[in-house]
Amino acid sequence: MLICKVVKPLVSTNRIPDFEHKHLQVVLDGSTQKVAVDAVGCVPGDWVICVGSSAAREAAGSKSYPSDLTIVGIIDHWDPEAAKAAAAGSPAPTPAPSSLGGQSSVAGQPSVGGQASISGKTS
């Protein structure tokens, strides 16, 4: 899985029939722009979780779907600078108290380490 930032929608009116009418988004993976099938209804600026390979095809609707990257969740809270600091071994700043009372928005489950929570939107 990848954490990416949605840059903008991608419109392609001439497609192969198997591509159906799924929405496409340009996402930023580090400094690389990629195209992902939007299975959750995200908007530019959202931080999202993407899956690749056979998981991307299945998440897009079928194992035969022609996708190698699919957006499967929208991250509610993500601080990329804190994530970089944690990866570098320096302590991340303590997050401000949340209005969620220490719970993520994923079915009321406690958040893990207070770092991120996701929500999946269905269309």
Side-chain angles (χ1 to χ4, degrees):
M1 288 191 272
L2 299 170
I3 294 175
C4 299
K5 187 170 189 174
V6 179
V7 178
K8 61 185 175 182
L10 181 70
V11 178
S12 172
T13 53
N14 291 323
R15 303 176 182 207
I16 61 172
D18 289 346
F19 221 45
E20 301 169 359
H21 295 288
K22 304 274 189 201
H23 292 274
L24 302 175
Q25 298 283 356
V26 176
V27 297
L28 195 58
D29 176 17
S31 61
T32 305
Q33 288 188 343
K34 298 180 177 186
V35 176
V37 173
D38 183 359
V40 296
C42 56
V43 296
D46 281 346
W47 286 94
V48 295
I49 295 179
C50 298
V51 294
S53 194
S54 62
R57 290 185 290 280
E58 203 162 323
S62 156
K63 287 185 179 181
S64 64
Y65 191 81
S67 173
D68 61 355
L69 191 64
T70 299
I71 299 168
V72 295
I74 299 171
I75 301 172
D76 293 332
H77 307 286
W78 178 251
D79 181 355
E81 296 306 316
K84 287 179 188 174
S90 42
T94 306
S98 146
S99 63
L100 295 174
Q103 292 186 341
S104 73
S105 61
V106 179
Q109 297 297 318
S111 60
V112 180
Q115 291 294 319
S117 60
I118 64 166
S119 65
K121 295 180 187 175
T122 57
S123 41

